[in-house]
Amino acid sequence: MAVREVLRMGEPVLLQKAAAVEAFNTPELHALIQDLEDTMKHMNGAGIAAPQIGVSQRVVIFGQKETDTAINPRYPDADAVPYTVLINPVLTPLGTAMEEGWEGCLSVPGMRGIVPRFQRLHYAGYDQFGNKIDRLVSGFHARVVQHECDHLDGILYPMRIADLKHFGFSDVFFPNQDFQDD
Ligand code: NI
């Protein structure tokens, strides 16, 4: 268990396509998930992808456990997203409807931007034990999944911003909010 350093935009590993996980329920995979969870909680992230701690594998985690009663201060208005470990994800947009929304990223500290994302999507993959995950989601849940899975293909959210006028510093856009770690 450890809080790991989160790599920031500019690190080459954040631009790489991550490798598929081939073995489930291994001590190495469980240790990776624990480090991701510890780091995400420490940074108040809505999610985190393995490449962000320098591990170029197709592993993301996101959401909050039901036992986490505190609302995430970085996304206070967000709908609850269940805590999810998602490995080797496959995303399939449902329809062409897009939705714009604010995003931040632990690898781009202190910044926010408006990013268009598919409003509804199907995602599939595996948890750390190799159990299949298969869900239809929309809204903020769909946004978080798209953001995290983009990390596995070397895509950071600023690359998705349609109009860079909507990219800037969190405390300038939202002067009355406390953004804590970023
Ligand atoms: Ni991110």
Side-chain angles (χ1 to χ4, degrees), residues 4-21 32-33 35-36 39 47-61 86-89 105-107 147-156:
R4 301 270 292 265
E5 182 194 358
V6 177
L7 303 178
R8 291 174 302 148
M9 187 167 65
E11 287 282 351
V13 69
L14 292 173
L15 302 176
Q16 286 175 15
K17 189 174 167 68
V21 170
L32 171 61
I33 302 295
D35 283 0
L36 286 169
T39 305
I48 191 168
Q52 292 181 274
I53 60 167
V55 178
S56 193
Q57 293 185 25
R58 302 188 81 75
V59 177
V60 303
I61 69 168
L86 184 62
I87 297 171
N88 298 346
C105 180
L106 299 177
S107 294
H147 176 116
E148 296 312 328
C149 293
D150 262 357
H151 278 296
L152 307 181
D153 292 324
I155 298 167
L156 297 164

Side-chain angles (χ1 to χ4, degrees), residues 35-90:
D35 283 0
L36 286 169
E37 189 181 326
D38 292 344
T39 305
M40 178 174 78
K41 270 194 186 167
H42 179 74
M43 306 288 283
N44 288 317
I48 191 168
Q52 292 181 274
I53 60 167
V55 178
S56 193
Q57 293 185 25
R58 302 188 81 75
V59 177
V60 303
I61 69 168
F62 52 83
Q64 288 185 290
K65 292 182 175 173
E66 280 179 37
T67 50
D68 297 342
T69 49
I71 290 170
N72 189 324
R74 291 181 74 238
Y75 295 92
D77 302 324
D79 304 330
V81 178
Y83 176 76
T84 303
V85 173
L86 184 62
I87 297 171
N88 298 346
V90 177

